[in-house]
Amino acid sequence: MSKINKTIKLFIAGEFPRTESGRSWPVYFYKTNKIFAQLCKASRKDLRNSVTAAQGVQATWAARSAYNRSQILYRMAEMTEGKREEFKQILEKTIGMTKVASEKAVDEAIQAFIYYAGFADKYQQILGAVNPVNGPHHNFTTLEPIGVIGLFCNTKFNLGKLVAHIAAPISIGNSVVAVLAQEGAAILAPLAEVFATSDLPKGVVNLLTGELDELLKPMASHMEVQAISCQTHEVHILGEVRTLAAGNIKRVIPPTGNEVLSLEVLRGYLEVKTVWHPIGV
Amino acid sequence: MRPFSNSSPVDAVGIQERADFFTKRSLKKESKVSALYLALRMCDLTTLEGADTPGRVIQLCEKAKNPMPPSVFHALFNDFAGQSAFAQIPSVAAVCVYPSTVAVAARALHGTGIGVASVATAFPSGQCPLEIKVQDVKYAIDQGASEIDMVINRGAFLSGDLQQVYDEIVEVKRVCGSVHLKVILETGELGSYDRVRLASDIAMEAGADFIKTSTGKITPAATLPVTLVMLQAISDFYQRTNKKVGMKPAGGIRTAKQAIQYLCMLYETLGPEWMTPDLFRFGASALVNDLLRQITKEVLGIYTYDKYFSVD
């Protein structure tokens, strides 16, 4: 029997739809003209549907116990392990990684899932605080998810960082709409299946492939998106993102460098709340 | 001959295909904007909960008058004030409540031209004797209801006692007098399109001013195919009697997109004469915010947040 290829579609609200626009763009085998796959070119409507899904589920996801979120993230690591070959094949064929490099990239992705799974029930203790204040009050710094995060990924493909910037926000209780960069975008296929088979509630993670220029504006101006994580290296867009983000006072998370396992990544996706409580009441 | 013995059978496959067709249209921007405004004017803003309080009903009435708070309207649309299409956000058609809060709603809406619709006749089950149903209606009208949404006696309908169903509607209509009567078929409990058609015919023959799909208390509530069956019944009734009966799909219509699909279907089944709040209503609550959201999207070009307008 001849080998059949997987159709790579989008990942919205836990489902695998084609883009409603019907458009696609080809991904080639590294440095050849041979087509590896046709990817969906997501439209503004796909983005809107993703945000609606992410927004609808965010509160219930955040209300899950940290322990439960942790377990679900750990399962993502397990699912990634099971798809190791598929991840590696895409990295080698579409961006020309060596076998050693692709092995390392998948290791890093698995590490990232496990790292943020571990922190899901620990970041409060580490990043939160009991603050000394002058007066008869307790003063606590507590940490909350921001809400819906719009993620624009690295232009230079980096699987570990991509996973870190999805795993970190969802470990806290955010939901994510990620626009993958064009390089390595075919990774959407196995990655989406990891999220779809980890008991993650539908809509917590949504993955889109498409053109940055087309999706940037509707995402950055969308009133239901509470933060934009701008990990792309195209720094010229940062100014435009900041301007559009001001409409609903979105947080803009600037590029963090290439850290994969870092509390600093986690800190970017947290809202800090200070609570005053009278002593003795 | 009984007035409803010649009810025509429904081609279920045909109806579903025809209804499905309305979900695959694309609309030009100008048509979309006017459809959104029209849909807003056609809304019966509804609260039918055990937890309804006078405070909640007053809040709903304020929303009925100004679906978009004036302060938000000015903040959002200031730069567009000159554009007539976006000049004003209209009020909704009516507020729909239980009889016990009709007086509160009537007071809050006095002088606004917004109707006060009251469900009655032992809503939502309709399971009580006719005398009590009649009293329920009388009470709602005394309290100031300008429209009555009654439920048909499904128990009688499903056991084949169509005469009783008919007689009850006639009696309620007699009590209503000039007050508009909407007859809820609760199509989700009827079981087939043929029965929906039959119930529609009975209701219209008995004097309904509107026929309405559902109470909103059970699923499935309003769907496109069921509404299409009812619209066709209205069309046939109009041709036979020259009386225009209104239509109210209710329950499950949450998005502007759905509302526009209903309006397309209305236009193509009954024509432009029915494209008015006098003859078509949406029984909805969540729909209003989505309509506002889409209107804002058309004006400003950005996607907004439904809670921006009100937290219901």
Side-chain angles (χ1 to χ4, degrees):
Chain A
M1 201 179 115
S2 64
K3 195 171 145 252
I4 59 160
N5 293 319
K6 185 180 284 179
T7 309
I8 304 176
K9 297 187 272 185
L10 304 175
F11 185 57
I12 301 173
E15 292 175 1
F16 298 89
R18 288 187 172 83
T19 168
E20 61 80 37
S21 66
R23 302 169 308 169
S24 64
W25 51 278
V27 171
Y28 298 98
F29 282 92
Y30 186 61
K31 284 196 172 161
T32 67
N33 288 329
K34 205 177 142 204
I35 292 175
F36 174 78
Q38 297 282 353
L39 261 58
C40 289
K41 192 189 276 187
S43 68
R44 302 191 323 167
K45 282 188 183 172
D46 295 315
L47 177 84
R48 178 199 64 189
N49 294 345
S50 304
V51 173
T52 304
Q55 209 273 333
V57 75
Q58 191 268 326
T60 52
W61 174 239
R64 295 266 186 121
S65 73
Y67 179 67
N68 182 236
R69 288 200 303 271
S70 172
Q71 283 183 314
I72 289 172
L73 264 95
Y74 190 85
R75 186 168 164 84
M76 289 171 190
E78 296 173 348
M79 293 296 112
T80 308
E81 186 63 65
K83 293 186 166 292
R84 180 180 284 271
E85 269 314 303
E86 191 182 347
F87 275 102
K88 282 175 61 185
Q89 289 288 318
I90 290 172
L91 297 177
E92 288 162 21
K93 286 179 180 164
T94 68
I95 52 180
M97 277 190 184
T98 62
K99 283 195 184 313
V100 176
S102 68
E103 187 77 28
K104 186 165 164 267
V106 180
D107 282 344
E108 216 172 37
I110 293 171
Q111 280 298 310
F113 278 128
I114 294 175
Y115 182 85
Y116 295 104
F119 270 113
D121 60 357
K122 297 174 190 71
Y123 68 89
Q124 280 286 3
Q125 299 91 307
I126 295 168
L127 300 175
V130 179
N131 309 310
V133 287
N134 185 14
H137 291 87
H138 293 298
N139 183 284
F140 308 109
T141 299
T142 59
L143 306 164
E144 295 181 351
I146 302 175
V148 177
I149 314 286
L151 171 64
F152 289 105
C153 300
N154 256 30
T155 326
K156 181 86 192 112
F157 186 76
N158 182 335
L159 180 61
K161 186 176 174 189
L162 168 62
V163 168
H165 279 270
I166 294 172
I170 66 172
S171 72
I172 300 160
N174 297 293
S175 55
V176 173
V177 177
V179 179
L180 305 191
Q182 301 225 341
E183 189 184 39
I187 210 75
L188 183 142
L191 196 57
E193 286 164 16
V194 165
F195 295 123
T197 52
S198 303
D199 288 342
L200 185 71
K202 292 179 175 188
V204 174
V205 174
N206 304 274
L207 303 175
L208 303 175
T209 50
E211 280 178 5
L212 184 68
D213 288 344
E214 188 184 355
L215 299 175
L216 183 77
K217 191 169 176 242
M219 179 90 95
S221 63
H222 200 308
M223 304 292 270
E224 280 182 317
V225 176
Q226 279 82 38
I228 295 278
S229 179
C230 218
Q231 299 305 319
T232 168
H233 287 177
E234 290 179 41
V235 282
H236 69 276
I237 67 165
L238 203 58
E240 192 186 355
V241 169
R242 285 193 196 283
T243 308
L244 292 168
N248 69 336
I249 331 176
K250 279 183 199 66
R251 178 181 300 185
V252 177
I253 302 156
T256 58
N258 280 333
E259 299 98 343
V260 172
L261 310 181
S262 165
L263 270 179
E264 287 312 304
V265 173
L266 203 62
R267 200 193 294 269
Y269 296 103
L270 287 167
E271 194 83 76
V272 175
K273 187 162 84 176
T274 306
V275 182
W276 294 76
H277 195 284
I279 291 172
V281 176
Chain B
M1 193 173 78
R2 291 190 303 180
F4 36 79
S5 58
N6 56 352
S7 191
S8 59
V10 177
D11 168 9
V13 175
I15 281 286
Q16 268 162 346
E17 273 198 14
R18 174 76 178 137
D20 198 36
F21 178 62
F22 295 103
T23 64
K24 291 168 184 158
R25 301 287 184 85
S26 72
L27 253 72
K28 291 274 175 283
K29 180 170 171 140
E30 308 82 62
S31 319
K32 196 184 281 178
V33 171
S34 66
L36 291 169
Y37 272 75
L38 179 61
L40 196 54
R41 289 200 290 127
M42 287 173 162
C43 279
D44 279 3
L45 202 55
T46 303
T47 181
L48 296 169
E49 303 298 333
D52 285 347
T53 58
R56 182 171 156 70
V57 171
I58 289 169
Q59 192 184 6
L60 198 74
C61 292
E62 286 307 317
K63 184 167 172 169
K65 288 188 248 179
N66 290 304
M68 186 182 290
S71 57
V72 173
F73 178 78
H74 289 303
L76 284 178
F77 290 12
N78 227 1
D79 298 341
F80 298 85
Q83 296 184 21
S84 57
F86 303 124
Q88 271 304 328
I89 300 291
S91 301
V92 303
V95 164
C96 183
V97 293
Y98 271 121
S100 56
T101 50
V102 164
V104 176
R107 229 177 359 259
L109 295 174
H110 183 71
T112 60
I114 300 170
V116 179
S118 172
V119 295
T121 70
F123 180 93
S125 70
Q127 296 282 19
C128 78
L130 181 59
E131 309 87 80
I132 296 171
K133 290 182 183 174
V134 166
Q135 274 185 16
D136 200 10
V137 173
K138 276 186 182 152
Y139 175 80
I141 294 171
D142 288 346
Q143 294 288 302
S146 58
E147 301 170 10
I148 295 291
D149 288 26
M150 74 169 286
V151 288
I152 63 163
N153 188 335
R154 278 96 70 199
F157 182 87
L158 292 171
S159 56
D161 193 353
L162 305 182
Q163 191 64 48
Q164 189 185 344
V165 178
Y166 177 83
D167 291 345
E168 285 191 10
I169 301 170
V170 169
E171 180 59 17
V172 171
K173 178 61 193 170
R174 193 186 60 74
V175 175
C176 283
S178 63
V179 171
H180 252 235
L181 177 65
K182 303 191 201 110
V183 178
I184 305 171
L185 310 182
E186 193 63 308
T187 53
E189 288 183 349
L190 298 186
S192 74
Y193 295 129
D194 285 339
R195 291 192 197 144
V196 170
R197 171 73 196 221
L198 176 60
S200 305
D201 289 343
I202 294 173
M204 289 187 292
E205 293 287 355
D209 298 302
F210 263 73
I211 51 176
K212 173 174 168 184
T213 57
S214 324
T215 59
K217 296 293 177 197
I218 68 151
T219 48
T223 63
L224 283 167
V226 151
T227 307
L228 183 56
V229 170
M230 293 168 71
L231 289 175
Q232 287 176 344
I234 290 171
S235 171
D236 291 347
F237 185 74
Y238 176 64
Q239 283 178 16
R240 203 166 65 244
T241 64
N242 216 24
K243 186 185 165 196
K244 286 181 186 161
V245 175
M247 174 71 208
K248 178 176 172 184
I253 305 168
R254 292 197 178 80
T255 65
K257 194 173 181 176
Q258 287 172 298
I260 290 173
Q261 291 164 1
Y262 278 90
L263 290 180
C264 287
M265 193 165 77
L266 175 69
Y267 187 87
E268 290 183 16
T269 313
L270 292 171
E273 291 165 76
W274 258 265
M275 303 287 280
T276 153
D278 294 335
L279 287 168
F280 194 83
R281 298 280 180 84
F282 288 108
S285 39
L287 173 63
V288 171
N289 276 5
D290 198 50
L291 289 169
L292 295 174
R293 194 177 168 195
Q294 300 311 327
I295 290 172
T296 310
K297 157 74 176 47
E298 294 302 325
V299 179
L300 303 179
I302 60 170
Y303 293 116
T304 53
Y305 185 39
D306 56 350
K307 306 264 185 308
Y308 205 75
F309 308 110
S310 66
V311 180
D312 301 318

